[in-house]
């Protein structure tokens, strides 16, 4: 499978004006047919975070095993390691235009962006943006435009502050937007709705709540019913799903935060650093410090 980098995207559009900080962070207005030059029309891995806000038209966005109907006013996000693909909606021939924001993995490492941006908390990767969020996105776009024109050497740090702020706002707005427009995105069975609620609960609470009983009570289900539900949709038992979510959170914080491992262990609900070390070594085959130093891909 082909890997796409931020540089690949910029090089594919020599006539387009990009605003940002080199290949590490940039925004641009692009159209769908031209995106074929970047190989996004085929399944690929993208090295970084890609946020798309659709201005005009409709298309299909595939992230992992999930398909999302992209329409005007929708915002999608993909993270490092995601398999993504763009395609036209069947029978739709009008032009498609998007605002694209790209943040490279190098920028993520350098700036220690808020870890919520790179966790599985945003399980559903597309939402319909409301008026207030649209205004907020426009403000951040203008800020990035302004900073991109700064010639001084502190511009990278300024860009980092803007990205940190934006990551916090998006991570807090996303669940609200998801709940607000869930019926507009798709029609789901009651079982799928319960499973989606379980996923959100786990991604928000796996650091402090690791027992099946907590999630069953929160959803008003028996533990047996919840285990069957999770198995049906994920192929994992509930305990394994919670453990994998915790491991993913550990990996993300090690990769995208520079805080000491002792602090991370405490934040992640481990009684001490040794317990964190044992859990991570048993799960990945390497100690946390080695994982952080080599910057391996998520499991």
């Amino acid at each position: 499978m082909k890997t796409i980098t931020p540089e690949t995207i910029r090089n594919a559009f020599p006539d387009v004006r990009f605003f940002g900080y080199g290949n590490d962070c940039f925004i641009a207005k692009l159209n769908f047919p031209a995106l074929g030059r970047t190989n996004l029309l085929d399944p690929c891995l993208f090295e970084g975070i890609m946020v798309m806000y659709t201005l005009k038209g409709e298309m299909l966005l595939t992230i992992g095993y999930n398909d999302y109907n992209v329409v005007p006013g929708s915002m999608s996000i993909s993270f490092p390691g995601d398999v993504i693909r763009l395609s036209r909606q069947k029978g739709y021939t009008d032009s498609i235009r998007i605002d694209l924001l790209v943040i490279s993995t190098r920028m993520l490492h350098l700036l220690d962006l808020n870890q919520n941006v790179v966790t599985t908390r945003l399980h559903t990767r597309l939402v319909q943006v409301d008026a207030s969020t649209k205004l907020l996105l426009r403000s951040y776009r203008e800020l990035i435009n302004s900073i991109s024109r700064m010639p001084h050497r502190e511009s990278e740090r300024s860009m980092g502050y803007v990205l940190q702020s934006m990551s916090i706002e998006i991570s807090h707005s996303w669940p609200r937007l998801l709940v607000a427009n869930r019926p507009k995105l798709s029609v789901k069975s009651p079982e799928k709705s319960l499973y989606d609620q379980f996923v959100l609960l786990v991604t928000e609470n796996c650091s402090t709540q690791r027992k099946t009983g907590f999630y069953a009570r929160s959803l008003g289900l028996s533990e047996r019913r919840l285990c069957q539900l999770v198995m049906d949709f994920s192929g994992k038992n509930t305990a394994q799903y919670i453990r994998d979510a915790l491991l993913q959170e550990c990996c993300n914080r090690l990769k995208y935060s520079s805080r000491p491992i002792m602090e991370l262990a405490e934040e992640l609900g481990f009684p001490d650093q040794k317990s964190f070390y044992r859990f991570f070594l048993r799960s990945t085959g390497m100690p946390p410090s080695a994982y952080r130093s080599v910057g391996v891909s998520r499991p």
Side-chain angles (χ1 to χ4, degrees):
M1 185 178 299
K2 191 173 182 61
T3 297
I4 305 299
T5 67
E7 185 177 8
T8 304
I9 293 179
R10 289 196 64 146
N11 290 342
F13 300 95
D15 299 326
V16 171
R17 191 173 185 185
F18 289 87
F19 297 95
Y21 196 84
N23 292 321
D24 287 318
C25 169
F26 56 80
I27 54 177
K29 287 189 184 332
L30 301 175
N31 59 72
F32 174 79
L35 283 170
R37 303 180 215 159
T38 66
N39 290 319
L40 288 174
L41 303 187
D42 299 315
C44 63
L45 290 168
F46 181 72
E47 290 187 346
I49 288 179
M50 182 184 294
V51 181
M52 292 192 300
Y53 176 74
T54 304
L55 302 166
K56 179 183 178 184
E58 298 182 16
M59 60 182 172
L60 185 68
L61 170 66
T62 302
I63 302 180
Y65 297 106
N66 298 309
D67 292 332
Y68 299 97
N69 296 322
V70 178
V71 298
S74 63
M75 177 172 62
S76 65
I77 185 167
S78 64
F79 298 132
D82 284 339
V83 177
I84 61 176
R85 179 178 182 268
L86 292 174
S87 57
R88 276 194 182 279
Q89 289 281 37
K90 187 175 181 179
Y92 194 91
T93 59
D94 291 351
S95 61
I96 300 166
R97 194 157 179 79
I98 63 172
D99 255 339
L100 180 71
L101 165 67
V102 165
I103 305 171
S104 72
T105 51
R106 190 187 85 89
M107 181 68 90
L108 292 175
H109 284 291
L110 287 178
L111 301 176
D112 191 14
L113 289 181
N114 185 279
Q115 59 89 22
N116 282 331
V117 173
V118 288
T119 66
T120 53
R121 175 176 178 173
L122 309 187
H123 177 70
T124 296
R125 301 300 183 80
L126 182 141
V127 292
Q128 194 73 13
V129 174
D130 59 16
S132 61
T133 306
K134 184 176 180 180
L135 182 61
L136 184 69
L137 292 173
R138 185 180 302 158
S139 299
Y140 277 115
R141 192 182 200 285
E142 292 173 357
L143 272 173
I144 293 174
N145 283 349
S146 299
I147 294 172
S148 69
R149 299 186 180 96
M150 294 180 180
H152 60 75
R153 56 193 240 174
E154 294 298 317
S155 59
E156 182 179 52
R157 181 178 297 181
S158 299
M159 188 71 74
Y161 291 146
V162 172
L163 294 176
Q164 287 173 332
S165 172
M166 185 168 62
S167 72
I168 293 170
E169 293 300 329
I170 288 178
S171 66
H172 282 279
S173 298
W174 203 274
R176 173 180 58 79
L177 294 171
L178 181 62
V179 171
N181 62 69
R182 185 186 297 272
K184 300 176 185 178
L185 295 175
S186 61
V187 178
K188 298 181 179 178
S189 66
E191 291 79 9
K192 185 60 165 64
S193 179
L194 281 171
Y195 174 72
D196 287 346
Q197 292 177 56
F198 167 76
V199 170
L200 287 174
L201 281 171
V202 172
T203 54
E204 292 173 352
N205 296 282
C206 63
S207 299
T208 56
Q209 301 290 342
R210 301 174 190 174
K211 299 294 185 182
T212 300
F214 167 81
Y215 299 98
R217 288 191 300 272
S218 298
L219 295 170
L221 302 173
S222 67
E223 291 189 28
R224 182 176 180 179
R225 177 74 183 93
L226 177 60
C227 288
Q228 185 60 56
L229 184 75
V230 175
M231 179 62 72
D232 289 344
F233 282 98
S234 71
K236 304 176 183 178
N237 62 48
T238 310
Q240 181 65 39
Y241 190 100
I242 297 168
R243 179 198 161 279
D244 287 351
L246 176 61
L247 176 60
Q248 183 67 72
E249 182 75 4
C250 294
C251 292
N252 286 331
R253 297 205 191 190
L254 286 168
K255 286 200 294 183
Y256 301 110
S257 171
S258 59
R259 291 191 296 279
I261 291 177
M262 183 181 296
E263 291 183 14
L264 295 183
E266 183 178 353
E267 292 173 5
L268 290 162
F270 290 91
D272 50 49
Q273 187 173 343
K274 186 178 293 186
S275 299
F276 177 52
Y277 178 94
R278 285 198 299 267
F279 169 80
F280 199 85
L281 181 64
R282 185 170 62 249
S283 301
T284 66
M286 66 173 64
S289 56
Y291 183 93
R292 168 176 275 177
S293 65
V294 300
V296 296
S297 300
R298 66 183 182 178

